[in-house]
Amino acid sequence: MTTNNKYDALVIGGGIAGQEAALNLADMDYKVLLVEKELSIGGKMIQLSKVFPTLDCAACITTPKMSETARHGNIKVMLNSTVKEIQKHNGAFTVKVNHGARYVKPEACTGCQQCEFACPEVRPDDYNTHLAGRKVAYIPFSLANPRIAAIDRNGTSAPCISACPGGVKPYGYVSLVRNGQYEEAMNLHLEDIPLPGSLGRACYAPCQGECTRGNLEGAVDIRRIKRFFAEQYYNKFPEPPTREINANTNKRVAIIGSGPAGLTAAYHLALKGHKVKIFEAAPKAGGMLMLTLPEYRLPKTVVERDIKNITSLGVEIECNKRVENITELKQQGFDAVFVAVGTHQSSKMHIEGENLEGVEGCLDFLRNVNIGERYNLTGKRVIVVGGGNTAIDASRTALRLGAEQVTVVYRRSREEMPCFAPEIKEAEEEGVKIDILCNPIRFIGQNGKVSKVELVSMKLGEPDASGRRSPIPIEGSNYLVNADLVIEAVGLQPSTQPFANELELAKGGTIKVNGKTFQTNIPYIFAGGDSVSGASTIIEAAGQGKKAAFYIDKYLNGLDIDTFEFDEKLPAADKNEVIAKRHPALKKPVNDTYRKPAERVKDFNDVEHTLTEQQAKESAERCLDCSNCRECHQCKTACPADAIDFGQKDELITVDAKTVIVSTGFKLFKPEHKPQYGYGIYPNVIDAMQMDRLIAPTRPFNNVLRPGDGKIPDKIAYILCTGSRDSSLENAMACSGECSNNPICSQICCMYSIKQAQLLMGALPMADITIYYMDIRAFGKGYDEFFQEAKSMGVNFVKGRIAKIFPKDQPNGDLILRYEDVTTGKLKESKHDLVVLSVGVLPNSSISRVFSNATLELDEQKFIKQIDELVNPAQTSIPGVFVAGTASGPKDIPDSILSAGTAAAEAASYINTLTH
């Protein structure tokens, strides 16, 4: 957000008083910044039905003022913003404002509500006081100004989303599968990574590892859900549907390597309109996906269909083309180069006998099996050295090639094996033997071919640089084992040596890049994936390709790439809070769909079956909905104006102002702090603001309906002074702050209750309405006449003190009020079908804490203190800071407007003092 940072006045709060003060100053030609924490100006008045005592339409009064405020040339309105700090310097003020992300571009949004219609998630609607719901993508209310949508992400993402290195939205696609929207789930995945088929089978699913359900009975089967919808989609679309691509930029990008990083980078660059060509040294594209991952884990037909997602965009892939000189690519007319050559070289152990026939690297072994000639290992004894994923892949592959015995030897303990635990379990089920705490020291041959391996037993010492305990040979523990084939899987090395004269390499051979942008020491060359990070996972490499593409695109457009931020993730939701809030019932995960070990070890077919539709939905229904927004991007897909922007961030903006007007309004007493009244327990006990929404022209329902069952009420009770003029609160509850004793009169409760009673008499002419009160404040301004009018209309007034509300023997939701009739001193009970609590006004004093080098004093009731209420009523304890409206105490609307005019006049005088 860009904004002028110098203003004559800062007005905090966009209610009726804040707007009035801002307009008064703006009409005097002062520049005003109006900061409002909500998504629209209007304050509480815009929620009201009518105003008392005239019963004029509240919206009809306030919406013209909202429009005038929003359009005034001297007023800048900053919505969804909170003041974080105010410092006073030389009579003026420096202010830090947190401008919250709306995730919608205001200049693009037309207020068409298509995002709202498409959003599948419903949340309680604050505007309608939780009587109805609204979508996560929503326009705050029909009369909002500005009428612009927002995405309510509530500051967090689901833990599964935060955990994904590729930026994929698991919560989003899981929720779409739950709704039966399988194509939409696939399209959501394709926004980030174009390899869902491969990931659905071979991803190690860090998202699933962070699933909140994992803290209970077991994580949601995120990977298998992905496999389900990817398979559904590929069966329906053997060839990719046409995707929208940006206009041709006439920029060319060369990508070296067609693994997950290269393919993903190519995909995103092609979507941006760039011409992309991939150079692949191997005879087939796909990198490790095609060359080394075993067929039983990842069928090559799936990889080929994934690759079509990229080539369908016009990306060209040239196989059997090894690039060893990047400069030549520049000379061929490529504007940028992305190096993603991976780690296709196996590390050596450098021990005796390593050059014997029958000793080979893990990658060579797996590559030959996948795209070369499969070995015949019938009756052979195979030793696999190493404890990583490729070691386990090689061991299970050897079994399928007929090996009689396959043993994995690893020099550390089982707990320290880097391979993912499920892979080890599956290997052992199939017959692979795992020998730990042993290591080869020599390969022994016969006639030039390996026949034995000499091993030594190990013990663990202190942790090394990797954090794992160092293996130490045990002297004299050497022993021999027979072997017909030894597969070394002790590490992978990056295939970057051909570029050593052009690019700056790290000690291990990885390419040095800018950690943020993936740019190398040569500006037009970027690098990512395993060639930068070392051996990693599919999703990590693909995520780097996606991120590199983002910065390559900025580079090709001539922009300063260092000024852009890529990540749109929010902090992960707290799992414990989610569980505490949801109180979820335990639902066992869908059973494994693995084939029987004895069956699957005989062939290279899939080791597990795809979930059925029913199983996928059952699994998706276990999701706990950890974050407020699903991030399913249905709003983004539906928006015709391309206004949705999930990349927006909160901004901390510093502004200068000569004066400050505090018009932060009031808070309403929370009626749950009087538990004897049953609010939040009995659905037909509501507060007065909820009743105002029920009778307002913009109400959420077509009639006045009670929340419990939608019935039209016919016997309504009001209880005045709920939470005001009450010094008994602390006797019932050990609390402070909002539920502490509140001895003051809120001044407006009587009148707004009488207003509502009169409106209800018009809306429900047969209804019986009773107001229980201790005193009625109805003097001046025609208020007493308004009170008498209500009595003459048939509203019952009972002077009584309510003791308790309960549903005694009332299965239909009606309620019993037990009260003391003050006029007779007798305890009575009466039945009502709807009870309205006329809640009191509380101070909204938190703004006092933002003044860092001055003290904004509060009065005894914690409202902002007016230093000289009679002579200079808007002045506070800080010169240059003025108070307007109910921030200084309870007021009705006319008094709030009057105080705003006073504050504006005082502020203008102060500005003139500074200026002259």
Side-chain angles (χ1 to χ4, degrees), residues 329-647:
L329 294 175
K330 182 69 171 175
Q331 293 168 352
Q332 293 172 23
F334 289 100
D335 300 286
V337 178
F338 179 58
V339 181
V341 292
T343 50
H344 289 273
Q345 296 177 10
S346 297
S347 300
K348 295 286 188 179
M349 298 186 69
H350 303 292
I351 62 176
E352 182 183 339
E354 199 167 21
N355 295 324
L356 288 169
E357 182 183 343
V359 179
E360 60 180 281
C362 178
L363 295 183
D364 293 332
F365 173 76
L366 291 171
R367 186 182 294 112
N368 286 334
V369 174
N370 277 331
I371 65 172
E373 185 176 341
R374 288 189 174 176
Y375 299 66
N376 181 1
L377 299 182
T378 303
K380 303 291 185 182
R381 294 159 298 185
V382 179
I383 300 291
V384 181
V385 185
N389 298 308
T390 52
I392 299 301
D393 284 346
S395 68
R396 298 174 71 187
T397 298
L399 278 179
R400 284 161 173 78
L401 294 172
E404 179 182 320
Q405 179 181 339
V406 179
T407 304
V408 173
V409 297
Y410 181 58
R411 59 183 183 159
R412 288 186 169 94
S413 68
R414 185 187 185 93
E415 290 71 27
E416 291 168 302
M417 289 181 73
C419 181
F420 291 93
E423 295 286 322
I424 301 172
K425 176 176 176 288
E426 291 168 33
E428 289 187 309
E429 287 174 348
E430 293 171 0
V432 173
K433 182 183 179 185
I434 309 290
D435 281 353
I436 58 171
L437 292 171
C438 58
N439 200 45
I441 58 172
R442 181 167 62 115
F443 301 129
I444 301 169
Q446 188 174 355
N447 299 324
K449 186 174 182 180
V450 68
S451 61
K452 296 182 184 296
V453 179
E454 183 176 355
L455 298 121
V456 63
S457 298
M458 313 289 283
K459 63 180 180 180
L460 296 180
E462 295 300 315
D464 60 14
S466 72
R468 295 176 296 173
R469 295 170 67 188
S470 301
I472 302 170
I474 299 174
E475 189 175 346
S477 64
N478 300 30
Y479 62 98
L480 297 176
V481 296
N482 295 323
D484 301 301
L485 174 65
V486 175
I487 302 170
E488 293 182 314
V490 293
L492 305 176
Q493 297 299 317
S495 309
T496 56
Q497 205 54 41
F499 313 123
N501 294 328
E502 296 177 277
L503 300 179
E504 190 177 352
L505 302 183
K507 184 177 179 181
T510 54
I511 300 170
K512 286 187 176 182
V513 297
N514 180 301
K516 174 183 175 182
T517 65
F518 291 97
Q519 192 173 39
T520 69
N521 55 306
I522 300 174
Y524 70 88
I525 301 176
F526 295 73
D530 291 4
S531 57
V532 167
S533 64
S536 63
T537 63
I538 303 170
I539 190 62
E540 287 172 320
Q544 288 197 20
K546 174 187 169 187
K547 185 174 181 180
F550 173 85
Y551 286 105
I552 292 170
D553 174 63
K554 303 303 179 190
Y555 170 80
L556 293 173
N557 283 292
L559 303 172
D560 181 358
I561 64 176
D562 288 316
T563 62
F564 289 89
E565 295 295 331
F566 168 75
D567 196 4
E568 63 184 38
K569 290 181 183 178
L570 296 174
D574 185 282
K575 297 180 191 180
N576 293 327
E577 289 182 7
V578 172
I579 292 171
K581 181 178 180 181
R582 299 274 188 264
H583 302 293
L586 299 184
K587 296 181 181 179
K588 289 186 178 180
V590 174
N591 291 334
D592 287 340
T593 53
Y594 287 100
R595 296 163 60 203
K596 293 180 179 179
E599 174 190 332
R600 68 192 190 219
V601 78
K602 296 176 182 178
D603 55 44
F604 280 85
N605 295 335
D606 271 339
V607 296
E608 68 174 339
H609 298 294
T610 303
L611 294 175
T612 65
E613 182 175 15
Q614 181 180 348
Q615 287 173 326
K617 282 192 170 183
E618 284 178 6
S619 193
E621 285 167 0
R622 297 180 62 246
C623 175
L624 291 176
D625 299 306
C626 295
S627 58
N628 203 54
C629 171
R630 296 181 180 184
E631 298 183 50
C632 64
H633 287 196
Q634 296 305 286
C635 56
K636 190 174 182 180
T637 303
C639 179
D642 193 27
I644 309 297
D645 180 10
F646 278 89

Side-chain angles (χ1 to χ4, degrees), residues 49-70:
S49 51
K50 309 278 186 178
V51 297
F52 56 81
T54 61
L55 297 187
D56 290 325
C57 169
C60 300
I61 296 171
T62 194
T63 50
K65 193 173 292 291
M66 290 163 62
S67 296
E68 187 182 358
T69 302

Side-chain angles (χ1 to χ4, degrees), residues 860-879:
E860 291 180 358
Q861 311 307 327
K862 306 301 181 183
F863 289 94
I864 295 174
K865 185 176 182 179
Q866 298 166 287
I867 299 302
D868 189 351
E869 189 171 354
L870 294 178
V871 179
N872 296 301
Q875 285 189 2
T876 70
S877 59
I878 304 175

Side-chain angles (χ1 to χ4, degrees), residues 64-80:
K65 193 173 292 291
M66 290 163 62
S67 296
E68 187 182 358
T69 302
R71 296 174 183 175
H72 201 295
N74 287 334
I75 299 176
K76 169 68 179 181
V77 177
M78 192 183 293
L79 299 170
N80 199 29

Side-chain angles (χ1 to χ4, degrees), residues 122 160 175 459 486 579 666 695 709 729 785 818:
V122 177
C160 58
S175 67
K459 63 180 180 180
V486 175
I579 292 171
F666 60 89
I695 57 179
D709 53 11
L729 292 170
E785 293 85 347
R818 180 175 294 161

